[in-house]
């Protein structure tokens, strides 16, 4: 790899990024990227060449969201991938082409690459380490009770790799980790492998969103490569550059780690910001979606991540924000803005429940239909989902629940098995049947296109409390609903027209 190659194309190195600044470029870039992804008809890589110039052998530790999507997509680019998971059941399922997560497009790419012989799953670490050019660390970094990221699994990977090094290896962090984690990985491997072994640790964070992860990988808006040696940088450029025509940010390992944490914290801040504005919109009788559009068309602001509602959940934004707060505190840096983002987010569910309670007056023995338990649409993931707060609250308040989600019901069932006060429905309409109120917790497209007249006709009292602002208040009013949203405007019947209990 020559330094000339690093200067070609649309990539930025660290100094370029610094001189270009973060203002106009960033906001505009993300909008353009969003448009490109949404418009893309297929899951083909946004590619320069059908096959990579350099085919590499890659080992991937971890087959969770990041690990599985990274594995199948790197195989799709033409590399030979061996992915490791400790759980034999997961390995068996994936080896048979059965995805362990609900992710659009994943099944097809998984099957095609197993079939092509480029993708294997194993429980044996040696199968992924021996002969591999690059090893990706994609294991979980769940939150600890003190808010820090738990790096036990990352350390375990380092300890596993160290005695098995068979020549130079590049070890790449994909998991979201606090800045400077790579130093600990290096230190651990060096201590266990001895001074003569050759290896580098680099950071190549992922920016995949659940629900669009395969597209996000194959059509990235940018690639961040954090490497402190020329050899590591060249290897990662060889891995990606032939396949992608997007900006590549070349930087140090610590900067790359921090870029990832900062990206998620900023996205979280954007959501909390619009949520505060949505409360103000309600007070002023203004529609938050229109305000979001009005500001989002400014390329400095950008239109994405301005959907007001129940706030951010999932396994990434809440966890990464907490971890960043601890990093700020440890370094004596004011974390007030980050804590406020977190506080605003936590209050969203309370606001929704207060609206529901106001609408129902007495919750006890009322039938409440719950639409959506996943933390967002197009996924079966319930980690950090509002449903995990709403469902226990409603149960404690004595409601009878009828719950429906297009994909995530089995996950919630594990926590809350059905009983005489909790029914899992097969459709939204079934969940609404006989309900005194419906609560919308997830932005599934399927809910947006519900037949409103039919929905109303099966409900006992036509009350909808919409935590995702999926419906237009005027349409809900026209369909005969009492409709509550978070920033879209409430449509309640006048005091002269009391509800009739059936
Ligand atoms: C997030 C980031 O968006 C990815 O770039 C990143 O790679 C990933 O975390 C990660 O660190 O692995 P993800 O957690 O899959 O991805 O989901 P998002 O699409 O970011 O949504 C997060 C939460 O914010 C969801 O609960 C969603 O409903 C909520 N959200 C999102 C809003 O409330 N409003 C919005 O406008 C957007």
């Amino acid at each position: 790899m020559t330094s000339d190659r690093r200067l070609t194309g649309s990539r930025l190195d660290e100094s370029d990024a610094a001189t270009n600044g973060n203002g106009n470029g960033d906001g505009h870039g993300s909008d353009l990227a969003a448009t490109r992804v949404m418009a893309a008809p297929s899951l083909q890589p946004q590619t320069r060449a059908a096959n990579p110039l350099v085919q590499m052998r890659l080992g991937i530790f971890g087959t969770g969201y990041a690990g599985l999507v990274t594995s199948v997509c790197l195989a799709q680019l033409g590399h030979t991938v061996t992915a490791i998971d400790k759980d034999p059941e997961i390995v068996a399922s994936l080896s048979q082409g059965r995805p362990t997560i609900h992710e659009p497009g994943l099944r097809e790419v998984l099957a095609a690459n197993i079939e092509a012989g480029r993708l294997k799953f194993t429980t044996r670490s040696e199968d992924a380490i021996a002969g591999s050019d690059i090893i990706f660390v994609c294991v979980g970094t769940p939150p600890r009770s003190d808010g820090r990221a738990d790096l036990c699994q990352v350390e375990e990977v380092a300890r596993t790799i160290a005695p098995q090094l068979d020549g130079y290896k590049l070890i790449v962090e994909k998991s979201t980790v606090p800045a400077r984690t790579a130093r600990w990985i290096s230190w651990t491997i060096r201590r266990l492998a001895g001074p003569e072994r050759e290896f580098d640790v680099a950071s190549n964070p992922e920016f995949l969103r659940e629900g669009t992860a395969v597209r996000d990988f194959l059509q990235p808006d940018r690639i961040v490569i954090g490497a402190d040696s020329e050899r590591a940088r060249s290897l990662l450029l060889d891995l990606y550059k032939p396949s992608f025509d997007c900006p590549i940010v070349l930087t140090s390992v610590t900067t790359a780690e921090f870029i990832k944490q900062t990206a998620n914290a900023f996205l979280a801040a954007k959501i909390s910001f619009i949520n505060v504005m949505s409360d103000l919109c309600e007070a002023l009788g203004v529609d938050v979606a229109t305000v979001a559009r009005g500001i989002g068309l400014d390329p400095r602001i950008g239109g994405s991540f301005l959907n007001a509602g129940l706030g951010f959940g999932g396994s990434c934004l809440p966890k990464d924000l907490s971890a960043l707060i601890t990093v700020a505190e440890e370094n004596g840096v004011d974390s007030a803005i980050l804590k406020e983002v977190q506080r605003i987010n936590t209050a969203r569910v309370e606001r929704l429940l207060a609206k529901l309670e106001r609408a129902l007056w007495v919750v006890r023995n009322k039938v409440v239909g719950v639409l959506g338990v996943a933390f967002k649409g197009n996924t079966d993931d319930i980690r950090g989902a509002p449903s995990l707060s709403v469902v226990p609250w409603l149960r404690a308040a004595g409601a009878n629940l009828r719950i429906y989600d297009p994909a995530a019901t089995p996950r919630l069932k594990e926590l809350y098995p059905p009983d005489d006060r909790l029914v899992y429905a097969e459709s939204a309409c079934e969940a609404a049947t006989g309900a005194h109120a419906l609560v919308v917790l997830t932005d599934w497209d399927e809910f947006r296109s519900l037949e409103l007249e039919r929905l109303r006709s099966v409900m006992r009292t036509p009350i909808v409390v919409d935590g995702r602002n999926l419906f237009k208040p005027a349409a809900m009013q026209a369909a005969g609903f009492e409709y509550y949203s978070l920033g879209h405007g409430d449509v309640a019947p006048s005091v002269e027209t009391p509800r009739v209990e059936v």
Side-chain angles (χ1 to χ4, degrees):
M1 179 62 54
T2 66
S3 55
D4 282 347
R5 277 194 68 183
R6 286 188 293 114
L7 294 171
T8 59
S10 51
R11 289 170 281 118
L12 297 174
D13 64 23
E14 195 160 45
S15 57
D16 286 337
T19 26
N20 283 353
N22 289 330
N24 297 344
D26 264 8
H28 201 48
S30 66
D31 271 2
L32 288 177
T35 310
R36 187 173 61 222
V37 168
M38 296 315 289
S42 74
L43 295 171
Q44 291 308 305
Q46 176 205 331
T47 183
R48 293 166 181 233
N51 286 309
L53 301 178
V54 185
Q55 292 190 341
M56 295 196 196
R57 292 179 56 160
L58 310 171
I60 315 259
F61 274 80
T63 61
Y65 250 98
L68 183 54
V69 174
T70 300
S71 299
V72 298
C73 291
L74 285 171
Q76 178 75 1
L77 297 184
H79 302 290
T80 304
V81 176
T82 306
I84 311 161
D85 201 293
K86 280 192 198 164
D87 185 334
E89 277 183 28
I90 291 178
V91 167
S93 172
L94 294 173
S95 300
Q96 288 160 19
R98 279 188 280 116
T100 42
I101 50 175
H102 174 96
E103 188 61 42
L106 186 64
R107 184 178 288 275
E108 295 76 5
V109 195
L110 175 68
N113 284 285
I114 292 173
E115 173 85 20
R118 288 191 296 265
L119 179 58
K120 277 194 303 215
F121 296 92
T122 177
T123 51
R124 292 157 38 99
S125 61
E126 55 271 34
D127 293 348
I129 296 171
S132 61
D133 302 298
I134 305 179
I135 297 171
F136 284 94
V137 183
C138 300
V139 292
T141 54
R144 297 188 338 185
S145 54
D146 61 3
R148 288 183 176 79
D150 182 344
L151 299 174
C152 286
Q153 294 178 55
V154 175
E155 196 219 29
E156 192 182 333
V157 173
R159 283 192 281 111
T160 305
I161 293 170
Q164 299 188 51
L165 289 179
D166 55 353
Y168 175 82
K169 289 272 183 257
L170 175 59
I171 295 127
V172 178
E173 296 168 341
K174 269 266 174 216
S175 307
T176 304
V177 290
R180 300 203 180 128
T181 298
R183 291 187 187 179
W184 284 103
I185 297 175
S186 271
W187 180 81
T188 304
I189 296 176
R190 178 61 68 214
R191 197 162 47 99
L192 297 173
E196 69 284 355
R197 298 285 184 208
E198 282 191 293
F199 70 91
D200 278 307
V201 180
S203 167
N204 169 220
E206 52 85 9
F207 300 102
L208 314 175
R209 291 160 299 173
E210 293 185 22
T212 54
V214 176
R215 276 192 310 184
D216 289 349
F217 192 103
L218 295 175
Q219 298 162 0
D221 44 29
R222 84 289 208 191
I223 292 169
V224 174
I225 292 177
D228 293 337
S229 80
E230 180 56 35
R231 193 172 185 179
R233 195 173 300 127
S234 296
L235 256 178
L236 282 169
L237 280 173
D238 283 346
L239 182 73
Y240 289 119
K241 189 164 177 275
S243 300
F244 296 112
D245 188 17
C246 66
I248 296 181
V249 180
L250 290 174
T251 183
S252 71
V253 178
T254 307
T255 306
E257 291 171 332
F258 192 60
I259 285 171
K260 170 65 197 229
Q261 279 199 299
T262 307
N264 276 359
F266 187 79
L267 292 172
K270 220 175 162 186
I271 296 168
S272 279
F273 179 85
I274 199 68
N275 279 333
V276 171
M277 292 308 115
S278 82
D279 293 352
L280 261 173
C281 284
E282 280 184 28
L284 299 171
V286 167
D287 178 41
V288 70
T290 312
V291 172
R293 183 168 155 71
I295 63 170
L297 287 168
D298 181 335
R300 292 170 303 172
I301 296 173
S304 56
F305 274 68
L306 287 177
N307 293 323
L310 276 171
F312 54 86
S315 66
C316 304
L317 265 48
K319 176 195 82 171
D320 294 347
L321 184 63
S322 298
L324 192 59
I325 289 170
T326 64
V327 171
E329 284 173 345
E330 279 164 12
N331 287 281
V333 171
D334 184 355
S335 62
I337 186 170
L338 302 175
K339 284 184 174 159
E340 194 54 17
V341 168
Q342 197 174 46
R343 190 196 62 76
I344 292 163
N345 198 55
T346 310
R348 299 313 289 168
V349 165
E350 290 158 26
R351 192 170 174 89
L352 177 101
L353 290 172
K355 285 200 179 223
L356 178 66
E357 211 172 2
R358 252 196 331 269
L360 285 175
W361 186 27
V362 174
V363 176
R364 192 168 184 74
N365 293 329
K366 293 273 166 62
V367 178
V368 178
V370 176
L371 295 191
V373 298
F375 82 96
K376 65 174 187 175
N378 277 338
T379 179
D380 62 350
D381 197 345
I382 60 169
R383 288 174 294 175
S387 59
L388 297 180
S389 311
V390 171
V391 167
W393 187 92
L394 285 170
R395 279 171 73 76
N400 295 312
L401 299 186
R402 300 178 63 79
I403 298 178
Y404 171 68
D405 186 285
T409 304
R411 308 249 181 221
L412 196 77
K413 243 186 214 173
E414 286 170 20
L415 298 177
Y416 299 100
D419 58 31
D420 56 346
R421 289 185 36 237
L422 198 172
V423 172
Y424 287 96
E426 294 295 321
S427 69
C429 223
E430 195 186 317
T433 302
H436 292 94
L438 260 188
V439 190
V440 182
L441 302 183
T442 310
D443 55 345
W444 282 99
D445 278 342
E446 179 182 323
F447 300 157
R448 283 193 179 91
S449 49
L450 282 170
E451 268 183 63
L452 297 180
E453 304 286 340
R454 174 140 184 263
L455 200 65
R456 184 183 42 75
S457 71
V458 298
M459 291 181 71
R460 213 172 287 198
T461 48
I463 299 171
V464 172
V465 184
D466 181 0
R468 297 294 179 181
N469 295 345
L470 299 188
F471 304 105
K472 296 228 177 307
M476 293 303 276
Q477 192 173 34
F481 283 99
E482 190 177 322
Y483 176 68
Y484 300 91
S485 66
L486 294 173
H488 241 15
D490 295 340
V491 183
S494 66
V495 280
E496 292 82 37
T497 50
R499 291 196 298 275
V500 179
E501 288 274 339
V502 179

